[in-house]
Amino acid sequence: MSENESQNLSVKLFAKHKHATETSTLFGAVQQTQQSDYSAFDGDSESSWYRMRRRGQWTWQGVDPLEMEAIFARIAHSDNSRTVDSLLDTVEGYRSGNWNYEWTAVGMQHQKAAQALMDEGKSKQAGEQWLQACTYFGIAAYPHLKGDSLALQSETLAFKAFENAIAQLPFTVKTVETQLDGKSLKGYLYLPRTDATLPVVILSGSLDSLQTDLWRLFVDYFAPADIAVLTLDMPSVGHSCHWHLNEDTSRLHTAMLDKLVEVPWVDHHRVGTMGIRFGANPAVRMAFLEPHRVKASASLGGIVHALLTDASLMKKMPPMYLDTLGSRLGRRIPIDTLKTRLQAWSLKNQGLLTGRRTEVPILALSLKDDPVCPESDNQMIARYSRGGKAMTLPNTPLHDGYHRALTETVKWFEDVL
């Protein structure tokens, strides 16, 4: 894609969205909950911001901390009107101060730099800039709510940037597509090499992230271990946007597991599943429903029971998180109704973490004092898995916690697969 084509795509995508509906108004949790109910989940969850700002995660993904703080400052100091005066990141319309506008603008700068490097024949550096652009576009769309027109456009830019990136980088990424309910389901297969069939881990992140956010896990952790990774968006997000989330949280994973038999670079007899946050729900579920085809599983800070059934934990959910859950169900519903629906997603309520143990070894791991994934959930997962293991790691410093968690997880897959 040439620089002019990139600019034309950007102009075309956003031209009609000067008056786009502001993200926090789409599902209405801000109006239904008290601001004092905010609590820290996976980032800074402050009463003056609608979104949880995931400084640690985004820095780890490659966002420049100074660039990030400059974006936050432009949003906070904007004089443009907001839908909720007390929430800094609710500036209306695609203009300065709007969350999507500010993150997309910096993404465009990285996109322009990538194109210039490609013109100079510097493919590796160009690929890195494309990945930067992809990351910024992905954060612009965060938390990826249904009906958010600006987010949809940013996701389009993110996926386009990602596809430009993988054509330039020194590792191999293949697109894997299959059909489910007559619709196309797409994942990205990362391969350390293509001269042998490798073990593969099906990997999903949280409900408010894109699968393209996960590339660094492969580069820094799985590639050195010679393990392939197949990423998959959760239902109602990104390439999986055609399906709403329901209690059968692993149906997309099952479809991809079926498809792996046809993929020549991976050994479909050595398949693992791994999930982060809600992505761990289908990963663990697969260990019970597909014990003859899944050889190992890992849950990182998984949402499998407590958060879905404990009223006291639900009460602490920030509005953004409640909106995200409502969005994955596909419609705006009252919070009390949402809380009732969530109980059906509990793997214990489904009879999986309460009956016979699975033969699949599962690693259940989280950081200390995790409000989303209490130690009791990890212990329960390990208890109902033969060879299962529960671990709680120190949560400070945060970067070291992330690194150790991922190192332990990859070692788990090396040993078992």
Side-chain angles (χ1 to χ4, degrees):
M1 183 188 285
S2 72
E3 185 175 334
N4 284 338
E5 288 174 326
S6 296
Q7 291 174 343
N8 289 339
L9 174 61
S10 304
V11 171
K12 183 178 179 182
L13 287 174
F14 291 101
K16 298 179 181 178
H17 297 287
K18 293 290 184 185
H19 305 289
T21 303
E22 199 278 310
T23 304
S24 69
T25 66
L26 288 166
F27 286 85
V30 163
Q31 282 75 41
Q32 297 182 60
T33 60
Q34 298 296 316
Q35 295 304 106
S36 58
D37 282 344
Y38 272 79
S39 65
F41 269 52
D42 300 332
D44 299 332
S45 183
E46 303 164 17
S47 59
S48 56
W49 291 78
Y50 168 69
R51 292 167 182 81
M52 292 173 282
R53 293 181 292 164
R54 296 183 169 162
R55 286 181 169 92
Q57 178 185 326
W58 294 337
T59 301
W60 175 75
Q61 283 178 233
V63 173
D64 183 301
L66 294 177
E67 209 165 43
M68 176 163 39
E69 294 306 323
I71 291 172
F72 291 153
R74 288 196 294 274
I75 293 170
H77 296 125
S78 174
D79 292 328
N80 285 320
S81 61
R82 293 174 167 85
T83 54
V84 183
D85 290 338
S86 60
L87 298 178
L88 298 171
D89 55 328
T90 62
V91 170
E92 300 174 285
Y94 189 69
R95 53 183 175 167
S96 62
N98 173 268
W99 177 278
N100 188 286
Y101 177 93
E102 296 295 348
W103 283 95
T104 297
V106 181
M108 298 290 188
Q109 294 171 16
H110 287 287
Q111 179 176 276
K112 187 174 181 179
Q115 190 61 57
L117 288 164
M118 287 177 67
D119 293 342
E120 296 171 15
K122 299 177 179 177
S123 59
K124 184 175 186 294
Q125 295 96 318
E128 290 168 354
Q129 284 295 318
W130 279 121
L131 284 176
Q132 284 278 68
C134 173
T135 298
Y136 280 83
F137 292 143
I139 298 171
Y142 167 80
H144 308 281
L145 300 186
K146 281 283 190 182
D148 190 337
S149 57
L150 292 178
L152 185 60
Q153 310 312 320
S154 294
E155 287 176 14
T156 300
L157 290 174
F159 285 125
K160 190 66 181 177
F162 183 76
E163 287 166 8
N164 283 325
I166 61 180
Q168 311 297 325
L169 292 168
F171 52 86
T172 302
V173 183
K174 304 282 187 181
T175 299
V176 178
E177 289 193 58
T178 190
Q179 293 289 309
L180 180 63
D181 304 329
K183 298 165 186 169
S184 176
L185 175 65
K186 182 191 290 188
Y188 293 113
L189 177 64
Y190 298 75
L191 299 162
R193 55 196 177 100
T194 56
D195 60 348
T197 54
L198 301 174
V200 60
V201 172
I202 302 175
L203 170 63
S204 288
S206 61
L207 290 174
D208 50 25
S209 65
L210 296 177
Q211 60 177 299
T212 49
D213 296 334
L214 302 170
W215 64 270
R216 190 172 287 275
L217 270 74
F218 168 76
V219 173
D220 292 351
Y221 298 96
F222 284 97
D226 213 27
I227 298 174
V229 169
L230 176 64
T231 59
L232 187 62
D233 285 311
M234 288 295 288
S236 191
V237 188
H239 287 316
S240 301
C241 64
H242 303 299
W243 298 273
H244 295 314
L245 187 67
N246 60 25
E247 58 270 21
D248 185 5
T249 57
S250 57
R251 57 186 172 143
L252 306 189
H253 288 65
T254 301
M256 273 300 179
L257 186 61
D258 294 340
K259 181 67 177 179
L260 284 179
V261 178
E262 306 169 18
V263 177
W265 305 283
V266 300
D267 183 352
H268 65 271
H269 297 295
R270 291 189 292 162
V271 179
T273 59
M274 172 180 167
I276 301 167
R277 288 308 195 216
F278 206 93
N281 190 291
V284 172
R285 200 170 188 266
M286 291 288 282
F288 288 87
L289 299 184
E290 298 286 351
H292 302 297
R293 296 199 291 167
V294 170
K295 300 304 178 189
S297 184
S299 163
L300 271 68
I303 298 175
V304 297
H305 175 65
L307 185 71
L308 304 170
T309 58
D310 186 330
S312 66
L313 292 177
M314 289 182 190
K315 188 178 290 187
K316 295 177 182 177
M317 284 188 192
M320 189 209 84
Y321 210 83
L322 290 166
D323 282 344
T324 302
L325 291 168
S327 175
R328 302 304 164 243
L329 286 168
R331 64 185 186 278
R332 184 171 179 161
I333 57 178
I335 286 174
D336 289 342
T337 305
L338 174 63
K339 290 174 180 176
T340 301
R341 291 287 299 273
L342 292 183
Q343 298 192 33
W345 299 346
S346 158
L347 299 188
K348 181 177 182 180
N349 287 358
Q350 291 181 16
L352 301 179
L353 295 176
T354 188
R356 293 178 57 185
R357 288 193 290 177
T358 177
E359 297 294 329
V360 179
I362 307 173
L363 172 66
L365 190 152
S366 64
L367 301 184
K368 187 172 171 36
D369 299 325
D370 187 340
V372 174
C373 177
E375 288 188 45
S376 57
D377 273 16
N378 284 341
Q379 295 292 342
M380 182 165 55
I381 291 171
R383 188 163 59 249
Y384 288 100
S385 161
R386 293 191 188 279
K389 184 178 181 181
M391 292 183 68
T392 301
L393 300 177
N395 59 5
T396 55
L398 188 59
H399 182 272
D400 290 352
Y402 279 148
H403 173 66
R404 189 176 165 198
L406 293 167
T407 301
E408 292 283 355
T409 302
V410 172
K411 185 178 183 299
W412 175 260
F413 284 118
E414 279 188 292
D415 292 344
V416 181
L417 293 180

